[in-house]
Amino acid sequence: MISNTTLELSADPAGIAQAADLLRQGQLVAFPTETVYGLGGDARNGEAVASIYAAKGRPSFNPLIAHVASVESARRFVEWSDQAEALAQAFWPGPLTLVLPLREGHGVSSLVTAGLDTLAVRVPAHPSARAILEMFDGPVAAPSANPSGQISPTTAAHVRAGLDGRIAAILDDGPCGVGLESTIVGLAGEPALLRPGGVALDQIEAALGSALHLHQSGDTLTAPGQMLSHYAPDVAVRLHAQTTHGDEILLGFGPVKCDLNLSADGNLTEAAANLFAALHKLNSTGRPIAVSPIPDHGLGAAINDRLRRAAAPRDS
Ligand code: TXA
Ligand code: MG
């Protein structure tokens, strides 16, 4: 939700309770973690997640990290493994994010994973972050709390400078200690370092008892933008369609007659929330997909970016 007034919450029980309440209402709350301030929204609420992208002005959908209070909570959303257990025991709570296969019935919005079948999870160590997550009792999607393309914020003042008036609240608990984002380790396949960060590589390898695969630059997994193209539908996708041709199925936007509508009201936040689930659903029909024109402003830019990738010619 875009709010006009961004509340300042303090790091006391009343502030924590209000932060959790706002998250329950689908609002956005910036809060400190030990790495950087995160911009949090309920990871199960597609419209809340869409509004994270809107507030940041992100021109494309990168998958987000789901923040949870404990290992037990993480295990509700992902397929746990011995490797995950070893790294969680060694570094959680702390600046380490694990990417694992989504678990059946996870309930996380497909906008958090950008349509992937894996989820990035992390248990932060910061006391205020932990208190909010415990009180909220659910997964919180949180990228760094800065406008897209700007520097990650390590104080509440940085957050306000970038996002004032665009989010419901900022919980101020002073500067972040680490100041560098979490290390991301992929455990869905061969263990791999996906992003260097707050926990050093050699410490992770020591805890794992084996070496991590290091992606070379240009390797598909290091660049989320490239990675997404691997999840393009199997079927052909045609954009800016006014009508369907032949066997095509129409993914609509706005008041059009179609097979599935991203948002009959022409609401871009709703459309973003529905995008990945809609692509998966239409892909499963095996029919070519035609998509109504979608305006290119606000979240429309990110929606169109994803649709262009889906429509791009494939290698195989
Ligand atoms: O320290 C941090 O990690 C901070 C604080 C707020 O927790 N968060 C953060 O989020 O840096 P963000 O959105 O700026 O970066 C998330 C990174 C992206 O590079 C994204 O591509 C990667 O995580 N990521 C998320 N889900 C993924 C997945 N399923 N597979 C591979 N990479 C994933
Ligand atoms: Mg960031």
Side-chain angles (χ1 to χ4, degrees):
M1 301 293 113
I2 306 292
S3 325
N4 294 319
T5 311
T6 298
L7 298 172
E8 174 125 340
L9 306 177
S10 41
D12 54 23
I16 299 289
Q18 199 172 349
D21 269 349
L22 288 166
L23 289 170
R24 263 180 225 115
Q25 293 162 27
Q27 304 272 342
L28 304 186
V29 179
F31 60 91
T33 79
E34 69 279 24
T35 61
V36 299
Y37 272 73
L39 178 57
D42 183 348
R44 297 160 301 193
N45 178 338
E47 296 204 19
V49 179
S51 66
I52 292 175
Y53 287 99
K56 284 180 67 85
R58 259 199 190 175
S60 62
F61 296 124
N62 287 327
L64 303 176
I65 298 170
H67 296 68
V68 292
S70 63
V71 171
E72 296 68 54
S73 176
R75 293 179 69 150
R76 294 214 292 267
F77 305 102
V78 290
E79 298 282 355
W80 205 240
S81 65
D82 292 345
Q83 291 170 327
E85 183 66 23
L87 293 184
Q89 286 298 329
F91 303 110
W92 279 0
L96 176 73
T97 295
L98 300 178
V99 174
L100 290 156
L102 272 167
R103 196 175 148 176
E104 184 111 21
H106 55 81
V108 171
S109 161
S110 58
L111 200 51
V112 172
T113 60
L116 301 174
D117 52 12
T118 54
L119 178 69
V121 284
R122 147 164 140 82
V123 178
H126 194 289
S128 288
R130 302 199 70 196
I132 292 170
L133 292 170
E134 267 160 29
M135 182 138 285
F136 176 65
D137 195 25
V140 172
S144 50
N146 52 279
S148 182
Q150 295 189 17
I151 300 165
S152 292
T154 53
T155 66
H158 293 161
V159 178
R160 191 170 285 280
L163 297 174
D164 195 22
R166 305 176 67 83
I167 63 177
I170 303 170
L171 189 125
D172 185 355
D173 195 6
C176 302
V178 177
L180 179 70
E181 276 103 340
S182 62
T183 302
I184 305 181
V185 173
L187 293 178
E190 160 181 31
L193 181 71
L194 301 183
R195 179 179 75 181
V199 179
L201 175 63
D202 55 351
Q203 286 180 275
I204 294 171
E205 291 182 329
L208 210 51
S210 66
L212 282 182
H213 184 75
L214 303 179
H215 285 277
Q216 305 300 310
S217 63
D219 219 344
T220 47
L221 269 174
T222 48
Q226 289 178 1
M227 181 173 66
L228 294 186
S229 67
H230 283 248
Y231 292 82
D234 309 316
V235 297
V237 179
R238 187 170 63 85
L239 307 182
H240 310 293
Q242 303 289 351
T243 57
T244 52
H245 299 159
D247 196 32
E248 281 178 347
I249 193 162
L250 184 63
L251 178 59
F253 177 82
V256 293
K257 196 164 165 287
C258 58
D259 299 281
L260 188 62
N261 206 319
L262 287 171
S263 169
D265 299 334
N267 176 327
L268 289 167
T269 305
E270 183 184 13
N274 289 333
L275 178 65
F276 291 102
L279 287 175
H280 278 294
K281 191 164 178 188
L282 294 187
N283 187 40
S284 71
T285 67
R287 288 165 60 188
I289 303 169
V291 189
S292 293
I294 294 171
D296 210 43
H297 58 79
L299 278 177
I303 295 172
N304 282 321
D305 168 79
R306 183 61 182 80
L307 287 170
R308 273 193 301 275
R309 291 175 198 281
R314 320 284 145 65
D315 295 341
S316 56

